[in-house]
Amino acid sequence: MLAVVCAAAVAPEAVVAPVSDGGKWRRLGGEASGANGPQETEKSEGAGGADEVEGAAAPPRRADAAPALPLPVPARSAAEALRGYADRLEQAEQLRVAAAKRWGVRKLPPRPPAPPEEKAELKTEPGHITGKGLPPVITRVPTEDKVVFLTIDDGAEKDPDLLRMMRELDIPYSSFLTDYVVRDDYGYFRAMRKDGNRIHNHTVSHKELPKLSYAEQRKEICDQQDNLEREIGERPRLFRPPYGAYDEDTLRAAAACGVEAVPLWAEEAFADRMEWGRADRKFHPGDIILTHFRGEDVWEGSMPDMIRLVLSTVAEQGFAIARLEDYL
């Protein structure tokens, strides 16, 4: 539902005078002293007659004056406001299409639908560890919307083109950061957060957690919660274990650190290919896509190359990319 706020502006010509004054405010002449105090004088009407002042503030009303008529309040209609909103959406889409051409995106996904009014209750998917008090482990978000979610792990590559590209294309994504590869430039990720993209936990040092004790796992997760709260300004609700490897101690430690859910992934994107988690090689509603902060020194291409591939693949299958946090 669109809420429209109409600004009321009183037009200068809409000022209405008290009934007793003939329907218009007149400029008052100088004051003449007399036995009865100051007297009002008027110019005569005719050529150069009544000096009516349109838009002038009304003089203070005398106690014995007749009550004034209410001021008319012209307002923009709801239809006009809706047309203005539609025009702004169209302009934004034109800018997005122009940006897609600049960035060489072959096909741009549609914009996602409005976020659900109520977020679905998360339950650990079959085949994953579950238990009382443990955060749910998922590879997709429970939704029937034709949306998928883009997530980027670790933070090793800090390509400024990625920030510009995603900002201009208006594509939402979420990042899961590892402290030891981002601590040299948290400013890059603060800029990312300023663009509206959320930051989450991927441990301090990217170790394979099941090989660590419970205390060591908790330190990896909780210390990174502290780091991100200090550097980004928010304590994450989501956590992804490195390599997707976890055990019950991992989930217990995550819960102790304030983690509410553990999103893994259904597909993984690279600069030159997609790796699918299902034999049908298709997206399903709510799928979570994993990729990494990588450059041409590791991949056969750049991060913008990876984004081009993801966007085209998502668009070809008729999906949109939505913001993960709008659903979780």
Side-chain angles (χ1 to χ4, degrees):
M1 179 180 295
L2 174 64
V4 179
V5 178
C6 295
V10 178
E13 61 273 17
V15 176
V16 179
V19 173
S20 62
D21 199 23
K24 292 184 180 178
W25 293 111
R26 302 173 186 272
R27 183 187 301 279
L28 298 180
E31 296 180 351
S33 299
N36 295 322
Q39 304 293 317
E40 296 175 355
T41 64
E42 298 178 354
K43 292 183 180 179
S44 61
E45 296 190 277
D51 189 7
E52 297 166 355
V53 183
E54 296 185 354
R61 189 164 65 89
R62 299 190 306 271
D64 60 346
L69 295 175
L71 298 178
V73 183
R76 293 175 60 198
S77 69
E80 289 173 329
L82 284 170
R83 281 196 297 272
Y85 177 68
D87 289 344
R88 289 192 297 275
L89 284 181
E90 183 177 355
Q91 291 170 3
E93 191 60 20
Q94 289 173 353
L95 291 173
R96 200 168 78 111
V97 169
K101 291 180 179 178
R102 285 197 306 274
W103 288 103
V105 176
R106 186 163 46 85
K107 193 170 184 180
L108 196 60
R111 290 188 180 275
E117 293 184 3
E118 294 185 7
K119 297 179 181 181
E121 181 182 356
L122 297 181
K123 296 181 180 179
T124 294
E125 295 177 10
H128 290 280
I129 297 171
T130 186
K132 185 177 180 180
L134 300 181
V137 181
I138 60 172
T139 63
R140 62 174 295 273
V141 174
T143 181
E144 297 303 316
D145 293 344
K146 287 199 73 174
V147 296
V148 293
F149 306 96
L150 180 61
T151 64
I152 313 178
D153 275 11
D154 66 45
E157 178 75 11
K158 303 166 188 67
D159 187 345
D161 281 347
L162 175 71
L163 296 184
R164 286 194 293 269
M165 183 179 192
M166 301 300 267
R167 185 184 305 128
E168 292 176 12
L169 295 175
D170 197 16
I171 302 296
Y173 59 101
S174 304
S175 299
F176 291 77
L177 301 185
T178 297
D179 180 68
Y180 93 96
V181 293
V182 302
R183 65 177 62 134
D184 63 328
D185 190 6
Y186 267 107
Y188 178 87
F189 300 97
R190 283 191 287 270
M192 183 177 292
R193 179 65 188 92
K194 188 176 180 181
D195 286 341
N197 304 294
R198 302 296 288 271
I199 306 296
H200 300 290
N201 190 330
H202 199 46
T203 73
V204 171
S205 55
H206 208 271
K207 295 177 179 177
E208 192 172 343
L209 294 178
K211 295 182 177 180
L212 306 180
S213 67
Y214 169 79
E216 291 170 328
Q217 292 196 48
R218 178 168 174 164
K219 183 172 177 58
E220 280 283 330
I221 300 169
C222 285
D223 283 5
Q224 184 61 349
Q225 292 285 84
D226 295 340
N227 292 335
L228 292 172
E229 184 174 24
R230 181 182 65 251
E231 297 289 347
I232 305 298
E234 293 175 331
R235 197 166 185 85
R237 296 184 299 108
L238 307 180
F239 161 71
R240 176 177 287 157
Y243 316 107
Y246 72 96
D247 59 13
E248 186 173 343
D249 279 348
T250 310
L251 300 182
R252 286 176 51 228
C257 300
V259 169
E260 297 176 12
V262 178
L264 299 181
W265 61 91
E267 295 86 21
E268 185 169 0
F270 297 83
D272 58 343
R273 69 189 188 280
M274 294 286 301
E275 291 190 354
W276 302 91
R278 303 183 187 90
D280 63 6
R281 298 175 64 83
K282 291 181 179 179
F283 293 119
H284 292 220
D287 274 2
I288 299 170
I289 304 169
L290 164 69
T291 190
H292 289 83
F293 290 93
R294 295 289 183 271
E296 296 182 64
D297 56 331
V298 177
W299 278 350
E300 296 295 325
S302 64
M303 293 206 74
D305 289 332
M306 177 271 297
I307 295 299
R308 280 187 276 269
L309 175 63
V310 169
L311 296 183
S312 297
T313 307
V314 169
E316 286 167 359
Q317 295 194 21
F319 281 78
I321 297 178
R323 192 178 309 281
L324 182 64
E325 296 77 14
D326 286 344
Y327 285 76
L328 290 188

